[in-house]
Amino acid sequence: MTPPAASPLWVRACAGMTAWMVLAVGGFAWASPAPPADHQHFDAVIDEVIARYQLPGIAVGVIEDGDISYVRTAGVVVAGSGRPITPDTLFKIASNSKAMTASVLARLVDTGKLRWDDPVQKHLPQFRMHDPWVSREMQVRDLLIHNSGLREGAGDLMLWPEPNHFDREDIIAGLAHLEPQHSFRSRYAYDNLLYVVAGEVAAAAGGASYEELVRREVFEPLGLSGCRVGQIDRDAVADIAQPHMRRDGRNVVIRADRAVIPAITSAAAGGIRCSLDDMLAWAQNWLAPTPQQQAWLSPEQRRAMWTAHMPMPISQRRRDWNGSHFYAYGYGWRLADIDGVWSVSHTGTLAGMYSVLHLLPEQRSGFVVLINGSGGEARTVLDQVLAEHFTKPQSTGSVARYAEELASQSSAPDRPAEPDTSSRRPATVQELARWLGTYRDPWFGEVTVCERAGGVQFESAKSPMLVGEVMRVGERYLVDWHEDSVDAEAWLSFAGGDDGSTLGMAKVDPEADFSYDYEDLAFTRTAACR
């Protein structure tokens, strides 16, 4: 992305954690090579976050009054490789994909190919929810605002961990078997599956695949030339950040991209990759659109995207840190007040990849953060400190303060404790003999609990990363997954008799990511082990 000639752009590219390169780009000649004071503050904040959380790589960009004023990249695409993160490095933006998906639908509304209040079944006649009335009444707009009544993250095991063998027709078919936890439109609960459905509604109305529509309706008209969706030739692109996790005190790559990165089922919910330059161009389209960008989407649909369609609960931390009184979901965006300033934002979270795009529209300002490591708390802290640069410039908030508060909240006495499973031992074939067999869940499909190499192994047919050894803890059983990046172990609960055995699952750690939605599984034994 090339910034406007009248907009100076400072680029700091760091090949490791210590090497720096500073460039001035744009139409201005600078009298001094020293960056502005605010930019020195940004540097110090980012350096402290990198050091505290030992991040493998990060990319940060800031927009002030419509212009890109600061870009900083640091670290590497792969730990130990020496290959630096650059403004062109592709990151998985995860759920920041949702606003792009919503924009595709908004473009189709502008052209009259669909309406927000169209029944979903008008475009996807096969669409079914658990309740027939909800199936008939669910509108296109409902797919985007997390009001379905499903449990938070319901059915996400059909999307993650990737790769798996679920396709989009599996998602649509599986929804009918997911029982709601609340009534339709009664409350907010974050949902990914319905964004996949939204992508298929767009494909049906737009006459092209979801991937083609995103390229045609978003990437091309807005000049997001680096963004990718669908199958990717890894070596042709080359500059792609890999996800990492902390293991034994160091960053290690997890779920590394293959030479041909396949198209994924979850694309509309969280499967787009973009560079920092692209994300800044995307942000500018919303904060300070050019005449061409204004023509890209009508004022009516821009307002619809940023209208509060579903109230969201306000956490105590959000009240304490931001003084928020308002929090709601638009079409692919979260809307809030922060210290009396209007905020439009979203985060993205995948294994080893974290992002945030945060806009302050009234100030025509905002920022982007992309991280390729275990960066959940790092993102939260950096988001807070950078936001306060705009909403509370005289704040004494610091990385240390917010990091320490987050750490203390994680160890608070009222936080549910993860059970002690240190007494675990491998379950024996003999003690589980009556429960061994092939089980089936109506939406997740087939799993086996069978003898393998003298022990008992749980194995999913359609999610090949969900394979692990069954362990005994006291009178209970859990699955210890073979893949370290699958970081939420599951309790197994067997019941019934030889002809009607059932298997239920639940998270061992009640605070584990909601996308491990084991609680929605209800298996029935269908056959003996083969």
Side-chain angles (χ1 to χ4, degrees):
M1 178 195 69
T2 303
S7 302
L9 168 62
W10 280 93
V11 178
R12 289 162 175 76
C14 182
M17 294 299 176
T18 56
W20 291 71
M21 177 175 66
V22 180
L23 300 174
V25 181
F28 287 101
W30 292 92
S32 167
D38 280 348
H39 295 176
Q40 292 175 338
H41 169 67
F42 293 153
D43 287 340
V45 166
I46 294 166
D47 287 342
E48 188 174 354
V49 168
I50 291 170
R52 179 176 287 268
Y53 295 102
Q54 299 178 287
L55 302 177
I58 191 170
V60 180
V62 178
I63 296 171
E64 298 181 89
D65 194 21
D67 293 329
I68 300 170
S69 62
Y70 175 89
V71 172
R72 165 83 183 279
T73 62
V76 289
V77 297
V78 175
S81 70
R83 292 162 48 205
I85 299 286
T86 75
D88 293 320
T89 300
L90 288 188
F91 286 78
K92 296 177 182 179
I93 65 170
S95 286
N96 272 300
S97 305
K98 288 181 168 67
M100 294 186 178
T101 297
S103 294
V104 171
L105 291 165
R107 290 262 291 176
L108 295 174
V109 172
D110 261 346
T111 57
K113 294 181 178 179
L114 61 77
R115 294 169 53 94
W116 290 119
D117 58 2
D118 278 349
V120 175
Q121 290 183 337
K122 175 180 177 180
H123 303 280
L124 299 176
Q126 74 275 33
F127 173 77
R128 298 288 185 278
M129 297 295 285
H130 191 267
D131 184 319
W133 184 88
V134 176
S135 303
R136 294 191 305 270
E137 295 299 318
M138 186 168 284
Q139 300 174 356
V140 172
R141 63 186 298 277
D142 294 309
L143 300 175
L144 305 180
I145 59 177
H146 311 295
N147 68 353
S148 68
L150 293 174
R151 184 198 308 271
E152 187 177 38
D156 277 2
L157 288 171
M158 288 189 282
L159 301 179
W160 301 290
E162 291 170 332
N164 62 47
H165 306 311
F166 292 97
D167 60 26
R168 290 168 191 167
E169 285 304 315
D170 291 327
I171 303 299
I172 295 171
L175 280 162
H177 302 287
L178 290 166
E179 295 190 24
Q181 194 173 46
H182 308 288
S183 59
F184 181 40
R185 297 178 180 153
S186 66
R187 66 183 68 193
Y188 169 91
Y190 196 80
D191 182 276
N192 287 298
L193 296 194
L194 293 178
Y195 264 83
V196 176
V197 176
E200 293 307 282
V201 167
S209 70
Y210 169 78
E211 286 79 4
E212 184 179 340
L213 286 174
V214 175
R215 296 185 196 106
R216 186 182 80 196
E217 303 294 334
V218 179
F219 297 171
E220 291 174 9
L222 296 180
L224 310 184
S225 58
C227 289
R228 296 288 187 276
V229 66
Q231 182 173 297
I232 303 172
D233 182 334
R234 181 196 64 195
D235 297 330
V237 176
D239 194 1
I240 305 178
Q242 296 300 300
H244 295 74
M245 68 180 293
R246 297 289 296 174
R247 185 185 298 157
D248 300 326
R250 60 193 184 92
N251 290 307
V252 296
V253 173
I254 59 172
R255 307 183 191 183
D257 288 326
R258 292 174 284 176
V260 176
I261 303 170
I264 55 177
T265 300
S266 63
I272 294 173
R273 303 191 192 209
C274 291
S275 70
L276 178 62
D277 273 355
D278 291 311
M279 292 302 287
L280 287 169
W282 171 242
Q284 281 187 304
N285 163 72
W286 295 100
L287 292 172
T290 64
Q292 180 181 352
Q293 290 169 336
Q294 287 176 331
W296 168 76
L297 194 64
S298 69
E300 179 183 3
Q301 295 312 317
R302 285 179 180 266
R303 285 193 298 272
M305 295 276 286
W306 283 3
T307 293
H309 297 288
M310 188 66 200
M312 298 171 63
I314 304 175
S315 68
Q316 189 59 50
R317 187 180 75 204
R318 179 172 285 276
R319 294 180 190 276
D320 293 342
W321 286 10
N322 298 326
S324 294
H325 300 87
F326 160 77
Y327 199 27
Y329 209 86
Y331 293 155
W333 297 96
R334 296 181 182 123
L335 315 170
D337 63 309
I338 296 182
D339 304 313
V341 177
W342 183 30
S343 158
V344 178
S345 68
H346 214 288
T347 55
T349 302
L350 286 171
M353 286 277 181
Y354 291 82
S355 64
V356 62
L357 172 58
H358 202 144
L359 310 178
L360 292 313
E362 293 167 333
Q363 300 181 7
R364 303 202 316 157
S365 300
F367 54 87
V368 178
V369 177
L370 304 169
I371 298 171
N372 67 330
S374 300
E377 291 194 1
R379 175 187 62 193
T380 299
V381 170
L382 196 48
D383 180 40
Q384 184 66 27
V385 174
L386 292 179
E388 288 186 358
H389 170 78
F390 298 102
T391 66
K392 200 161 48 177
Q394 306 308 314
S395 170
T396 57
S398 65
V399 169
R401 173 197 160 185
Y402 292 121
E404 288 162 10
E405 288 190 22
L406 275 185
S408 67
Q409 291 167 12
S410 299
S411 57
D414 58 347
R415 183 183 175 90
E418 183 175 358
D420 181 3
T421 63
S422 59
S423 65
R424 69 178 64 190
R425 63 167 176 79
T428 66
V429 174
Q430 291 74 25
E431 66 193 5
L432 281 175
R434 66 177 297 205
W435 306 118
L436 299 181
T438 300
Y439 292 78
R440 184 170 187 80
D441 172 85
W443 62 268
F444 188 69
E446 189 175 279
V447 302
T448 55
V449 182
C450 294
E451 179 181 1
R452 297 287 186 272
V456 179
Q457 181 168 285
F458 177 102
E459 184 171 348
S460 166
K462 299 195 78 167
S463 188
M465 294 182 74
L466 292 183
V467 176
E469 185 175 10
V470 179
M471 311 292 287
R472 182 163 182 168
V473 182
E475 297 302 312
R476 304 185 72 179
Y477 296 95
L478 63 77
V479 186
D480 184 349
W481 304 115
H482 293 165
E483 170 60 47
D484 286 345
S485 67
V486 181
D487 55 0
E489 294 178 328
W491 293 118
L492 301 179
S493 302
F494 299 96
D498 292 341
D499 296 328
S501 297
T502 61
L503 168 62
M505 299 176 69
K507 289 183 280 290
V508 171
D509 179 2
E511 296 294 297
D513 191 296
F514 60 71
S515 286
Y516 292 106
D517 62 316
Y518 306 130
E519 291 79 4
D520 282 311
L521 296 167
F523 294 99
T524 300
R525 186 159 61 183
T526 58
C529 291
R530 294 187 283 270

